[in-house]
Amino acid sequence: MAANSEDIYRNLSADDYEAAPIVVESVCPNCEENGETRIMCTAIPYYKAVILMSFECPHCAYKNNEIQSGEAVQEHGNELVLRVQKQEDLRRQLVKSEYASIEIPEIELTIPSKSQPGEVTTVEGVLQRVHQGLSQDQEKRRLLDEESAIQIDAFLKRLEGLMDLKENWTLKLRDPTGNCYIQNPDVRHVDARCIISHYHRNLEERKMLGLAADDEVEEETLAPAFESYEDAKNEVLHFGTSCPNCHAQTSVNMKPTDIPFFQTVIIMSLHCEHCGYKSNEVKSGGAIKPQGCKLTVRIEKDLDLARDVLKTDTCAMRIPEIDLEVGGAALCGRFTTIEGLLTATKEQLDAQSSFFMGDSAENEEKAEVTNFLTKLDDIIALRMPATIILDDPTGCSYVQSLTAPLDDSRLDKEFYTRSYEQNDELGLNDMKVENYGELENLAEEDEEEGESTDAK
């Protein structure tokens, strides 16, 4: 009978004597004598299942520790950009897999994927590991290649300057498995110095993760042609893809549809016939609106919790009564209800606080987070009135009105002009939209002149 995943990845407990590590004899990479590798499979909140490995050689005292994710590869890769400005940023806990790459642009440092094992460390620990790795052979370099040793000494001083925060610097963490995290010091508020984004893996990353064959080539998917936009709305499109759970070939169904009193949205659905995995996603089908939109919903009745909500990837959420701020990238775009949005927020905050608040956390901090989650439960159970503010700079988020097309007394809409920073984040400042037709005509004329010159 196949083993249950709960039996393999056990929660660590002082009373659980069966959760002893597995001891495997293995060769020491330092002296090539036999040592021992201890393997422990456990489950920790938010990072879920992990495999802990520790090697120790009794002959040369060499030690090595490693952590690997026991979870399946996520549907999308993720990229985190942290602006390190304070001492608390250096103390942030960081989780990375062996496939993650790290970049620090200020000192032109790049740590490629699969060059380091997966680990749970801190932001400062990343610099310390690089510093330790470059320092260990410096005495030999000074004898064999003095010029290289001098350059490395200068680089080590720059590393020490970053650890002492003599200047602000940026840490970029990109993980195609989607299993990397950087701690948010205050889970109730938007992390102003850390930007999280999700992306579709390219072919090279899929090959590295074993999700694509080595001889596979990128194929262009051509969308079917329709005579009119209305024909596209009446047709369900099918696109071939790999299942994010079992990696078998399946298809994604996509169909545009209209939301009454709003705009067109694109519904995407995946159902794998091999493993039964299901995934649903909703994207805004319209262009970025000329103005941003702020939607304010007052939760007073059961009907308010049942309102439909379309939240885009750029939409931020705020609840003033409990001092909660959630950034747009924290929760992916989704079509749900007010209750579903609150429940998803609570689950994510609960998971983050459980993982990053271990035995070393202060009791006051634990009590504060517990009290905060209790208040969120009270809002969902209508024991506490609250106001949800959805702020979307693209203007493409939507909250159902209970009295449409008339005004809703518990739903307010406010349109505003985006700032330069918001336009820059959306990529609007770099778009050339003026005189586009004239530029296109000039390009066609130049092409015709070139053809006539070649003919002559």
Side-chain angles (χ1 to χ4, degrees):
M1 184 175 65
N4 192 341
S5 61
E6 295 181 357
D7 297 331
I8 299 175
Y9 299 99
R10 306 172 66 92
N11 294 323
L12 293 181
S13 173
D15 299 328
D16 190 0
Y17 300 102
E18 296 181 2
I22 303 172
V23 181
V24 179
E25 187 176 350
S26 51
V27 177
C28 174
N30 187 42
C31 66
E32 299 184 354
E33 295 288 341
N34 285 340
E36 287 186 346
T37 299
R38 297 178 180 271
I39 303 174
M40 171 76 78
C41 299
T42 184
I44 51 181
Y46 195 49
Y47 199 56
K48 299 181 181 178
V50 296
I51 303 172
L52 306 174
M53 292 178 286
S54 175
F55 174 81
E56 184 174 357
C57 178
H59 304 281
C60 66
Y62 175 81
K63 295 182 179 181
N64 184 25
N65 300 302
E66 184 178 348
I67 180 174
Q68 290 186 1
S69 174
E71 288 293 320
V73 174
Q74 303 300 316
E75 187 173 356
H76 300 98
N78 60 349
E79 186 174 42
L80 296 87
V81 180
L82 173 65
R83 187 65 177 166
V84 182
Q85 299 175 344
K86 301 179 180 180
Q87 285 293 333
E88 65 179 22
D89 295 327
L90 293 173
R91 294 191 295 268
R92 290 180 188 234
Q93 296 186 55
L94 180 148
V95 180
K96 63 177 286 290
S97 72
E98 61 178 311
Y99 300 100
S101 61
I102 297 176
E103 181 183 357
I104 302 178
E106 285 79 3
I107 58 175
E108 299 181 0
L109 171 65
T110 301
I111 304 175
S113 58
K114 303 192 73 173
S115 61
Q116 292 182 349
E119 61 181 344
V120 177
T121 180
T122 61
V123 173
E124 185 178 14
V126 173
L127 297 182
Q128 289 176 343
R129 182 165 190 159
V130 175
H131 192 282
Q132 182 181 0
L134 293 175
S135 302
Q136 61 183 2
D137 293 328
Q138 272 297 81
E139 297 302 325
K140 294 182 181 179
R141 291 193 190 95
R142 290 190 178 92
L143 296 176
L144 301 176
D145 190 351
E146 184 178 359
E147 184 178 353
S148 296
I150 293 174
Q151 293 177 352
I152 292 178
D153 282 335
F155 186 80
L156 291 175
K157 289 182 179 179
R158 297 186 66 185
L159 275 177
E160 293 168 359
L162 297 186
M163 286 188 282
D164 294 336
L165 281 183
K166 294 182 178 178
E167 61 175 303
N168 297 335
W169 53 282
T170 307
L171 175 69
K172 295 182 179 180
L173 182 61
R174 180 184 176 93
D175 193 342
T177 69
N179 288 323
C180 69
Y181 305 94
I182 294 179
Q183 177 189 8
N184 180 1
D186 188 354
V187 295
R188 298 176 302 168
H189 297 91
V190 176
D191 196 340
R193 297 189 295 277
C194 185
I195 301 174
I196 305 173
S197 59
H198 304 271
Y199 66 92
H200 293 282
R201 286 179 283 268
N202 56 38
L203 180 60
E204 182 179 351
E205 290 176 330
R206 296 201 301 272
K207 289 181 178 180
M208 180 176 63
L209 297 176
L211 304 180
D214 293 337
D215 57 351
E216 184 176 334
V217 295
E218 198 78 53
E219 296 182 358
E220 294 185 2
T221 304
L222 299 178
F226 296 99
E227 295 183 359
S228 66
Y229 183 59
E230 293 300 324
D231 292 338
K233 287 185 178 181
N234 298 326
E235 185 75 18
V236 178
L237 308 181
H238 306 275
F239 298 92
T241 185
S242 298
C243 173
N245 186 45
C246 68
H247 313 310
Q249 284 297 314
T250 183
S251 63
V252 174
N253 300 326
M254 185 181 77
K255 184 181 185 301
T257 187
D258 293 328
I259 294 181
F261 307 105
F262 186 52
Q263 64 177 26
T264 301
V265 297
I266 299 174
I267 301 175
M268 291 176 287
S269 175
L270 181 147
H271 179 211
C272 179
E273 297 179 354
H274 302 275
C275 66
Y277 175 82
K278 294 182 179 181
S279 174
N280 299 292
E281 190 174 359
V282 178
K283 296 282 188 181
S284 173
I288 294 177
K289 301 298 179 64
Q291 291 181 310
C293 181
K294 184 181 294 184
L295 302 166
T296 304
V297 183
R298 288 175 289 280
I299 303 176
E300 300 175 358
K301 302 179 180 179
D302 292 335
L303 290 175
D304 297 322
L305 292 174
R307 292 176 187 260
D308 290 332
V309 177
L310 173 63
K311 178 194 173 299
T312 67
D313 295 332
T314 57
C315 181
M317 184 178 74
R318 186 163 61 92
I319 304 179
E321 287 82 357
I322 58 175
D323 195 21
L324 170 67
E325 294 182 13
V326 181
L331 288 173
C332 296
R334 60 186 65 199
F335 185 71
T336 180
T337 61
I338 292 289
E339 183 178 5
L341 190 62
L342 291 174
T343 302
T345 303
K346 177 184 177 296
E347 290 175 353
Q348 189 172 52
L349 295 176
D350 190 16
Q352 288 187 19
S353 61
S354 299
F355 176 67
F356 287 120
M357 293 183 63
D359 297 336
S360 61
E362 297 291 340
N363 291 331
E364 294 182 0
E365 186 178 358
K366 288 183 177 180
E368 184 179 350
V369 173
T370 303
N371 184 42
F372 170 77
L373 294 175
T374 302
K375 291 181 179 179
L376 201 52
D377 283 331
D378 291 339
I379 294 176
I380 297 175
L382 290 177
R383 291 190 294 266
M384 174 181 177
T387 305
I388 294 181
I389 302 174
L390 298 177
D391 189 350
D392 189 353
T394 67
C396 294
S397 291
Y398 160 82
V399 175
Q400 178 188 12
S401 173
L402 301 178
T403 59
L406 303 177
D407 292 337
D408 192 330
S409 60
R410 296 192 298 276
L411 174 63
D412 296 331
K413 297 181 181 180
E414 178 186 349
F415 297 94
Y416 62 89
T417 302
R418 285 184 292 267
S419 64
Y420 179 87
E421 290 75 14
Q422 289 175 321
N423 283 330
D424 191 54
E425 188 173 338
L426 296 173
L428 301 178
N429 294 333
D430 299 327
M431 288 186 179
K432 178 64 178 177
V433 293
E434 296 179 358
N435 302 324
Y436 182 77
E438 296 179 5
L439 294 174
E440 193 175 33
N441 294 333
L442 289 174
E444 292 177 356
E445 293 176 2
D446 291 341
E447 186 177 351
E448 291 176 357
E449 290 179 2
E451 291 177 355
S452 61
T453 302
D454 293 339
K456 291 178 181 179

